[in-house]
Amino acid sequence: VMDLDGYYLPTFNELKNHEEELRSIPDWQARDDDLMICTYPKSGTHWIWEIVSMLVKKKAERVSAVKETAMLEIMAKATLDNMPSPRVLNSHVYFEYLPKDFAKRRCKIIYAMRNPKDVAVSFFNHHSKICEYEFSGTWENYVQRFLKGDVDYGTWFDYTQKWEKFMADNPEYPIFMTTYEDMKQDPLRQVTRIAKFLEIDCDQAFLQEVTDLCQFDRMKKEKDALGEQVDAWKDGVPGMYRKGQVGDWKNWFTVAQSELFDRVYQERMKDSKVQPRFTLS
Ligand code: A3P
């Protein structure tokens, strides 16, 4: 993990000169038609990236690339510079670490959030199973860690509030907000909304096909079968498509852990006006 003045970012990437590249991201040039998916880790980024990639290509066809190949903090700038337009980029970094040129050009942003309790469970599994992290801590300790933001990408609370502030300060900005929970409840509706936001001219049958291709079981099976990134996972078992459910946190949190989480949430989010479509209890 790379420590950027107390902000931790993962280092499993193709970058040779990590720190220099990471520090230069805010100065990167954008393209007017760049699309950017912004999420705290484990909020459904792969899912949305797959959907958006199909929508912009207007092809309901499995994307063979992994979304990490379009990730700002993982790929070298030179590689991203060589990507054909429109680029479907993605990142988990705090708002201020994104290229300033994006906002200047008013590049479209898709921002998704997820119940932070489900995020914590998903992130725990991610940290436990990816070799690079060399992490073998307990869930009990992890809950504390997650709440403090003692993980790569910092705290969920700061991340969420920075985006909330950006949206409040820039009400006209072309940013589309969705939640993992809404996507699970009615994926076709969210795919349709995303297509509309991106001004993709297509019919209902295409939207349905994209939705079906990106349905969890299918995506897990077909993406895992591509066999990429297998070496990154302990025992060679790919774990990016883990369970894909809403509310799995109930199988992990004890009552005490859940109450602690709720207390920290209330305290940290007390000034937030975000009306998330998830219930913490
Ligand atoms: P779980 O660990 O709860 O299963 P990200 O892509 O931001 O890293 O988020 C990963 C989470 O999204 C994982 O959650 C993963 O299983 C879930 N996910 C990935 N693809 C999905 C899909 N097509 N439908 C629903 N959930 C999906």
Side-chain angles (χ1 to χ4, degrees):
V1 181
M2 170 69 61
D3 178 355
L4 286 188
D5 312 321
Y7 183 50
Y8 296 108
L9 292 175
T11 48
F12 50 103
N13 52 39
E14 64 159 31
L15 304 180
K16 303 273 180 306
N17 44 347
H18 295 152
E19 184 166 354
E20 208 180 300
E21 283 255 1
L22 291 174
R23 285 196 191 277
S24 74
I25 294 177
D27 301 320
W28 289 2
Q29 280 235 310
R31 299 179 197 162
D32 288 340
D33 59 357
D34 276 343
L35 303 172
M36 185 72 172
I37 300 164
C38 296
T39 52
Y40 189 79
K42 314 321 287 175
S43 304
T45 329
H46 287 75
W47 189 8
I48 296 170
W49 187 78
E50 197 89 349
I51 291 167
V52 173
S53 298
M54 289 182 195
L55 290 178
V56 299
K57 283 199 200 111
K58 291 205 201 167
K59 262 198 188 143
E61 213 173 81
R62 174 66 58 221
V63 179
S64 60
V66 285
K67 80 130 182 91
E68 282 70 15
T69 56
M71 207 171 171
L72 298 189
E73 62 273 32
I74 284 194
M75 303 307 288
K77 177 178 179 296
T79 307
L80 294 176
D81 281 349
N82 283 330
M83 265 176 89
S85 296
R87 300 187 295 182
V88 183
L89 302 167
N90 67 94
S91 179
H92 301 311
V93 299
Y94 281 156
F95 178 75
E96 65 265 29
Y97 285 94
L98 289 172
K100 294 189 189 67
D101 200 30
F102 266 89
K104 228 186 271 162
R105 289 175 192 263
R106 301 180 69 75
C107 295
K108 286 184 178 167
I109 294 174
I110 295 173
Y111 166 66
M113 61 192 285
R114 184 182 189 187
N115 183 339
K117 285 184 178 169
D118 280 336
V119 170
V121 169
S122 188
F123 217 3
F124 173 69
N125 280 280
H126 177 101
H127 284 131
S128 302
K129 292 178 189 155
I130 292 179
C131 310
E132 181 73 25
Y133 287 109
E134 295 178 3
F135 172 75
S136 55
T138 61
W139 166 245
E140 170 66 23
N141 290 338
Y142 190 84
V143 173
Q144 319 278 339
R145 247 183 124 122
F146 182 85
L147 288 171
K148 276 191 284 186
D150 195 7
V151 289
D152 43 343
Y153 295 110
T155 78
W156 182 91
F157 305 103
D158 287 345
Y159 185 88
T160 307
Q161 284 176 349
K162 284 169 197 270
W163 278 105
E164 185 179 355
K165 180 169 181 341
F166 173 74
M167 287 187 270
D169 292 348
N170 301 276
E172 304 298 322
Y173 195 91
I175 178 164
F176 175 90
M177 196 197 141
T178 187
T179 65
Y180 185 88
E181 290 72 21
D182 281 354
M183 304 251 317
K184 282 295 289 189
Q185 197 188 19
D186 191 346
L188 177 60
R189 184 174 136 72
Q190 295 307 313
V191 170
T192 306
R193 289 182 63 220
I194 295 172
K196 193 163 172 229
F197 171 71
L198 299 178
E199 297 169 273
I200 310 281
D201 182 22
C202 61
D203 59 20
Q204 188 70 13
F206 172 72
L207 295 171
Q208 184 69 59
E209 266 184 274
V210 170
T211 306
D212 293 347
L213 267 173
C214 296
Q215 188 265 342
F216 179 77
D217 293 339
R218 232 181 125 179
M219 209 169 134
K220 175 179 172 60
K221 193 163 139 239
E222 293 171 15
K223 290 298 256 190
D224 283 353
L226 292 170
E228 289 189 60
Q229 293 185 317
V230 159
D231 295 346
W233 296 84
K234 287 183 188 163
D235 308 321
V237 181
M240 196 50 86
Y241 304 91
R242 189 186 65 93
K243 206 159 176 186
Q245 287 177 5
V246 170
D248 187 38
W249 67 267
K250 289 177 187 161
N251 298 316
W252 289 77
F253 281 72
T254 63
V255 172
Q257 287 164 349
S258 179
E259 285 175 358
L260 168 71
F261 202 104
D262 293 348
R263 275 200 303 280
V264 174
Y265 187 96
Q266 299 312 337
E267 171 57 28
R268 295 293 317 269
M269 300 299 280
K270 63 177 184 298
D271 298 323
S272 168
K273 292 182 187 62
V274 171
Q275 297 287 324
R277 287 268 168 95
F278 52 76
T279 39
L280 279 176
S281 49

